[in-house]
Amino acid sequence: MSDGFQIGGIALTSRFFIGTGLFPNPYVQKEAIRASGAQVLTFAIRRINLESTEDDSILQHVQDESYVYLPNTSGARTADEAVRIARLARASGLSDWVKVEISANERTLLPDPIETLKATEILVKEGFTVLPYITDDPIMCKRLEEAGAAAVMPGAAPIGTGLGILNPYHLGLIVEDANVPIIVDAGLGSVSDVAQAMELGVSAVLMNTPVAKAKDPVRMALAMKLAIEAGRHSYLSGRIEKKKYASASSGYEAFKLS
């Protein structure tokens, strides 16, 4: 029942991308990541010591494992800032993958679509594997794909809110029109949110806060992993059509008396 996918030429079997911040301590962080089964780890580049990544306090706890690093440009306000941050990360040998994250508003932390598209175009031309974080706008998601994004990461709701999927219709349209993996990033809060996202046909989900801030992050990581798997199986199986009226599974005629 192999059901993998690829990003930037790298084959992935886990559809859980997990963040490394906010955990109560390094031990819980490491155990939660292990329970998640994630292959891709994301973190803010501004939180990493780029002059000595091998000794960095965030990364040193996961260096004995084999992960794909997805550094993000969190904190950038313009395309130029995001590009500069990505270049520094690659020059340090950290990764040539980058999650472009450019916030336009401090209160909502919603991404700036214009600056995000601009940064994506520049970084793609420089050979980065670019995964832009964007709002759930079907048109902008398509523009990012056309700009060369290896995957597109629409948010379900503002980052860290746990509000769940505010607009499943838009996410469905994005998936339907995409030729690259769609990864739901930001706003998820529960296993039901995750299962719903996967049932819409997205390739993966990225989360940090719902796991790291749970009362039991390790168990929550496992729960999210199982929800991703269940939602994916449900999507591939094909749910029944919704109907306006009831229909008995054994047939109404079977209940009629002769």
Side-chain angles (χ1 to χ4, degrees):
M1 297 182 68
S2 177
D3 181 36
F5 65 114
Q6 287 196 2
I7 294 178
I10 295 180
L12 300 172
T13 54
S14 172
R15 295 177 181 274
F16 193 168
F17 290 29
I18 192 167
T20 57
L22 304 176
F23 287 94
N25 59 63
Y27 174 78
V28 172
Q29 176 203 59
K30 187 172 183 178
E31 291 302 305
I33 292 172
R34 182 172 294 149
S36 75
Q39 293 170 274
V40 179
L41 305 185
T42 185
F43 44 82
I45 299 172
R46 60 188 172 84
R47 293 170 50 226
I48 301 297
N49 178 9
L50 294 178
E51 295 181 358
S52 183
T53 56
E54 68 277 5
D55 296 325
D56 187 89
S57 60
I58 296 174
L59 300 181
Q60 66 178 343
H61 302 292
V62 295
Q63 285 182 346
D64 58 339
E65 307 288 346
S66 178
Y67 294 110
V68 177
Y69 289 163
L70 175 60
N72 67 64
T73 65
S74 173
R77 293 177 176 273
T78 66
D80 289 342
E81 288 181 9
V83 168
R84 184 171 64 252
I85 292 170
R87 288 171 178 165
L88 288 171
R90 183 163 70 176
S92 73
L94 189 60
S95 178
D96 61 359
W97 281 39
V98 62
K99 172 187 167 185
V100 173
E101 186 172 340
I102 304 173
S103 298
N105 183 287
E106 289 186 3
R107 185 166 59 89
T108 65
L109 295 179
L110 289 172
D112 184 320
I114 306 303
E115 295 297 301
T116 299
L117 180 59
K118 181 180 176 181
T120 297
E121 291 171 339
I122 294 170
L123 292 171
V124 166
K125 290 178 181 177
E126 295 186 7
F128 283 87
T129 298
V130 184
L131 292 79
Y133 163 58
I134 195 65
T135 53
D136 57 350
D137 179 346
I139 303 302
M140 184 53 68
C141 286
K142 194 62 181 178
R143 293 291 179 266
L144 289 165
E145 177 189 325
E146 292 168 347
V152 179
M153 309 178 77
I159 192 167
T161 61
L163 290 172
I165 300 175
L166 298 182
N167 200 332
Y169 175 70
H170 273 196
L171 283 180
L173 289 178
I174 292 167
V175 170
E176 184 180 323
D177 201 32
N179 294 308
V180 297
I182 300 299
I183 303 167
V184 170
D185 176 14
L188 301 174
S190 68
V191 294
S192 59
D193 298 336
V194 170
Q196 182 186 13
M198 297 306 299
E199 285 185 312
L200 289 170
V202 304
S203 296
V205 300
L206 187 155
M207 69 184 79
N208 185 186
T209 305
V211 174
K213 288 296 188 180
K215 293 181 179 178
D216 185 340
V218 179
R219 180 167 292 194
M220 184 60 78
L222 175 60
M224 293 298 189
K225 173 188 176 183
L226 296 175
I228 290 169
E229 293 174 355
R232 179 64 181 173
H233 282 303
S234 176
Y235 171 72
L236 294 176
S237 300
R239 63 155 290 151
I240 63 170
E241 292 184 8
K242 295 181 180 180
K243 298 180 179 180
K244 187 175 182 180
Y245 301 108
S247 58
S249 58
S250 56
Y252 180 71
E253 295 296 323
F255 295 98
K256 286 187 176 181
L257 298 176
S258 57

